[in-house]
Amino acid sequence: MAAVREYRASRTIPEDLLGKGGMDESLAQITDGLDKLFAILDHSKYKARAAPVQTRTHTMAVSERFTLCRDENVVGLTLRRVDGGDLPPWHPGSHLDLVLPSGRRRQYSLCGDPLEKDAYSIAVRLVPDGGGGSAEMHTLEVGDRLSVTGPRNAFPFYASGSALFVAGGIGITAIIPMVRRARALGMDWHLVYSGRSRQSMPFLDEVSTWDQERVTVRTDDVDGLPTAADLLRHAPDGGSVYCCGPPPMLALVREGVPATGATRLHYERFSPPPVVAGSPFSVELASSGTVLDVAADRTALDVIREVVPGVPYSCRQGFCGTCKVKVLAGAPEHRDRRLADDEREDHMLICVSRSAGERLTLDL
């Protein structure tokens, strides 16, 4: 069943026609059957993987801008189409791909109300030493325009059973629509929300109105850094854990879940994962002949950005496709979750993928 859910994760299937939670099961099964049938007619092998996400790009304008926490490092933005039209529906866990005025591409979780058909809401924390995207987002004013693609969902919420939600800092933006949905459905749920201080944590005003027996708010300045036991104390037997936050938090949760009674873990990270089992290699930039050495613990993107600062990138996790580059020579070691088999023959995502040999020549 887990494989079926993963395959369906990115489909657009209507809510249950009888008013129950989740996607309509009958329509989902019909879609499964049609996928298999078309694969047979096409003389191709049926693969149990997510179907391509159907997304559209809109020109949108900032209609509202507001501060979301007391230290003013998180700004909330409401976006609407410039033509005033309705927007594609979205579900908890979805995000948007934004092209900023500078050309930077960034992704932000939707944290508003899915029932609001003509607006998307996002929240952005200022990261002074980041890649510049958050700083640029903080300069946006009402009326500024952006190119917006989406929504996409790589972190789907399955609204059934019991669930523990674990959010760290700005990770609450992905989690809060899930908790709202769980509350509306009467699910058994608990939220653990952790941050540096209460002044740095957005949405606390809303969270404080919920049943406080189901909410645990931890701050590093008062409670110290959380342990796996602190984060997973309310993990439900036979239920799910949803986690979004910084890498140390994700590591604690991933390592700690097997010791709980939870049977499923779903997570999303807001920063690139560490390189695991990497080997050193070199990349040659075809346009200049420059050869760069990529250490075992670094990505090709990080190294290339030092020489070509304008190289496009976004998620740095291998799923958005922004950093796709053509490979002119050499064999990539693919570690992405985006490229199709035919694309992998001569392209790679330089944010996560590496080289199967000593050198790659890239069309850069």
Side-chain angles (χ1 to χ4, degrees):
M1 190 61 189
V4 173
R5 284 174 173 166
E6 180 179 358
Y7 184 75
R8 296 175 180 171
S10 297
R11 289 196 186 137
T12 301
I13 293 177
E15 295 287 328
D16 188 275
L17 300 180
L18 298 178
K20 300 178 181 178
M23 66 180 65
D24 188 84
E25 188 66 25
S26 297
L27 292 177
Q29 291 184 10
I30 291 171
T31 308
D32 286 341
L34 289 174
D35 285 333
K36 295 178 182 179
L37 176 61
F38 290 144
I40 293 170
L41 293 175
D42 192 40
H43 302 289
S44 59
K45 184 178 179 181
Y46 175 73
K47 296 182 179 180
R49 65 181 186 183
V53 181
Q54 300 300 314
T55 58
R56 294 181 179 178
T57 299
H58 301 281
T59 300
M60 303 186 69
V62 178
S63 63
E64 296 176 77
R65 185 185 189 280
F66 46 91
T67 298
L68 269 173
C69 59
R70 296 173 189 168
D71 68 3
E72 300 188 0
N73 280 339
V74 179
V75 63
L77 299 170
T78 302
L79 308 175
R80 287 183 166 86
R81 283 175 54 169
V82 296
D83 62 7
D86 285 349
L87 292 161
W90 63 279
H91 300 278
S94 297
H95 68 267
L96 299 176
D97 297 276
L98 277 62
V99 179
L100 309 187
S102 66
R104 292 185 178 95
R105 295 175 180 268
R106 295 295 185 269
Q107 295 163 330
Y108 297 100
S109 294
L110 283 162
C111 56
D113 183 356
L115 298 180
E116 193 172 9
K117 297 181 179 180
D118 64 345
Y120 289 149
S121 296
I122 60 174
V124 183
R125 178 179 294 284
L126 179 63
V127 183
D129 57 349
S134 67
E136 186 173 358
M137 291 292 291
H138 273 245
T139 67
L140 294 177
E141 300 291 345
V142 172
D144 287 345
R145 296 187 175 192
L146 301 165
S147 177
V148 179
T149 302
R152 306 179 194 271
N153 199 335
F155 187 35
F157 171 51
Y158 305 106
S160 63
S162 54
L164 169 65
F165 302 100
V166 182
I170 197 63
I172 190 66
T173 56
I175 292 293
I176 199 164
M178 298 183 183
V179 184
R180 292 172 184 148
R181 180 67 172 157
R183 294 181 69 233
L185 293 174
M187 288 176 56
D188 179 21
W189 62 274
H190 194 96
L191 168 67
V192 176
Y193 184 15
S194 178
R196 297 190 305 275
S197 67
R198 295 187 72 91
Q199 289 73 26
S200 70
M201 299 166 69
F203 298 106
L204 273 184
D205 289 345
E206 177 181 352
V207 170
S208 67
T209 66
W210 298 345
D211 180 356
Q212 294 303 290
E213 292 185 358
R214 294 184 178 272
V215 174
T216 301
V217 175
R218 295 184 50 89
T219 59
D220 298 346
D221 60 349
V222 174
D223 305 299
L225 294 175
T227 65
D230 294 328
L231 298 174
L232 295 169
R233 183 167 290 113
H234 298 278
D237 288 341
S240 299
V241 175
Y242 294 85
C243 180
C244 187
M249 170 179 280
L250 292 180
L252 284 175
V253 171
R254 292 179 66 183
E255 293 169 4
V257 161
T260 72
T263 56
R264 290 174 297 277
L265 170 63
H266 311 270
Y267 64 91
E268 184 174 51
R269 63 173 76 240
F270 275 108
S271 57
V275 177
V276 177
S279 297
F281 63 99
S282 62
V283 293
E284 179 182 353
L285 309 184
S287 62
S288 63
T290 302
V291 177
L292 306 173
D293 293 325
V294 181
D297 60 350
R298 300 193 68 192
T299 68
L301 173 64
D302 286 340
V303 174
I304 292 170
R305 284 182 61 207
E306 295 175 353
V307 179
V308 188
V311 63
Y313 73 95
S314 183
C315 73
R316 295 184 294 169
Q317 300 175 48
F319 66 78
C320 77
T322 302
C323 67
K324 184 173 75 170
V325 174
K326 187 171 185 179
V327 180
L328 302 178
E333 176 193 313
H334 294 289
R335 297 188 175 191
D336 66 274
R337 294 178 286 160
R338 174 61 182 262
L339 297 182
D341 291 342
D342 57 341
E343 292 179 295
R344 294 188 176 203
E345 294 177 4
D346 58 0
H347 286 81
M348 67 182 289
L349 300 190
I350 58 175
C351 67
V352 292
S353 295
R354 307 183 68 78
S355 175
E358 295 182 358
R359 177 179 292 193
L360 295 171
T361 301
L362 303 179
D363 188 17
L364 286 172

